[in-house]
Amino acid sequence: MVLKEIFQGVVEGDNKVVQESVKMALNEGVDPAAILNDGLIPAMKEVGKLFEINEYYVPEMLISARAMQNGMKLLKPHLVDSNIKSEGIVVIGTVKGDLHDIGKNLVAMMLEGAGFEVVDLGTDASPRAFIRAINDEDANVLAMSALLTTTMPNMEATLQALGEAGIRDQVKVIVGGAPVTDEYATNIGADGFAPDAYSAVKTAKFLVSHT
């Protein structure tokens, strides 16, 4: 019952219900893995499906993702104790020169809701910062965002820097943002393109499962 409440709370973006239900589940001795795998993750999948069929839009996704993230904050210490395997480690950031973060933040929250460990470098992230985080975290996915046509070239510059650092083959690279296209992603040598947060999760899962 409490897992259904967590699920529904996330889908409806009810932050209070999610936090209270997660606390209740933990107090009742529910396995943290079950709270994650049977409550939070399926809820974010449902949110993604609602977005795909145009019943939810970015504001609704953001509200649900924030509710999920607050539930995750309560759950994380218990997940560490449970030694739960993550879907993968994603380094994410908006490229150098670009200070836009709403889309990037939503992607980060959706990835976390799908079971990935997310290392968020924020905005204005340099190629060097991406490389350092990939090495430090042993990441297997890099997700880059750009909202300005003038900062898009920094995606290519980062990919070139990964090659020069000898780590390009260690990480799958996904790019996205309003001006970014599938064609551009292919031209600069990225492994995937995501036009929205739901697509980013699907692309990351696909790339990780095919490494």
Side-chain angles (χ1 to χ4, degrees):
M1 181 64 184
V2 71
L3 293 178
K4 283 185 179 178
E5 288 174 7
I6 292 169
F7 176 93
Q8 205 58 38
V10 170
V11 171
E12 293 174 2
D14 194 325
N15 191 43
K16 186 178 179 184
V17 165
V18 172
Q19 291 193 69
E20 288 178 353
S21 299
V22 169
K23 286 177 186 173
M24 187 186 303
L26 290 169
N27 289 337
E28 290 176 0
V30 177
D31 184 357
I35 298 172
L36 179 68
N37 296 323
D38 300 331
L40 295 172
I41 289 177
M44 288 310 293
K45 280 184 182 174
E46 180 64 21
V47 170
K49 287 176 187 172
L50 291 168
F51 176 79
E52 205 168 30
I53 61 174
N54 295 322
E55 284 194 26
Y56 271 20
Y57 296 93
V58 169
E60 289 86 359
M61 285 181 79
L62 202 51
I63 291 166
S64 289
R66 282 179 178 150
M68 175 279 302
Q69 196 172 45
N70 284 320
M72 282 290 291
K73 282 177 185 173
L74 296 169
L75 195 58
K76 262 185 178 176
H78 303 274
L79 290 174
V80 172
D81 294 341
S82 299
N83 227 359
I84 292 172
K85 185 179 180 296
S86 75
E87 290 282 338
I89 301 173
V90 182
V91 169
I92 189 170
T94 306
V95 295
K96 188 168 180 59
D98 202 319
L99 300 177
H100 296 88
D101 68 352
I102 293 174
K104 183 267 301 171
N105 291 346
L106 181 53
V107 171
M109 287 189 284
M110 291 288 286
L111 285 166
E112 192 169 37
F116 286 92
E117 292 178 62
V118 178
V119 181
D120 190 347
L121 300 187
T123 61
D124 194 26
S126 67
R128 183 179 295 179
F130 282 125
I131 289 168
R132 185 165 54 242
I134 290 164
N135 284 327
D136 289 350
E137 305 295 337
D138 197 22
N140 44 4
V141 178
L142 169 61
M144 291 188 284
S145 171
L147 204 75
L148 303 172
T149 53
T150 52
T151 58
M152 281 170 59
N154 288 325
M155 290 179 163
E156 186 173 12
T158 301
L159 280 159
Q160 288 173 350
L162 293 178
E164 290 165 7
I167 62 169
R168 178 63 185 92
D169 293 340
Q170 295 175 28
V171 66
K172 296 295 184 182
V173 178
I174 303 170
V175 295
V180 182
T181 63
D182 196 5
E183 183 183 11
Y184 181 75
T186 301
N187 288 342
I188 65 172
D191 299 296
F193 162 69
D196 54 63
Y198 181 58
S199 301
V201 172
K202 288 206 298 186
T203 303
K205 284 195 167 189
F206 174 81
L207 292 173
V208 167
S209 67
H210 287 76
T211 52

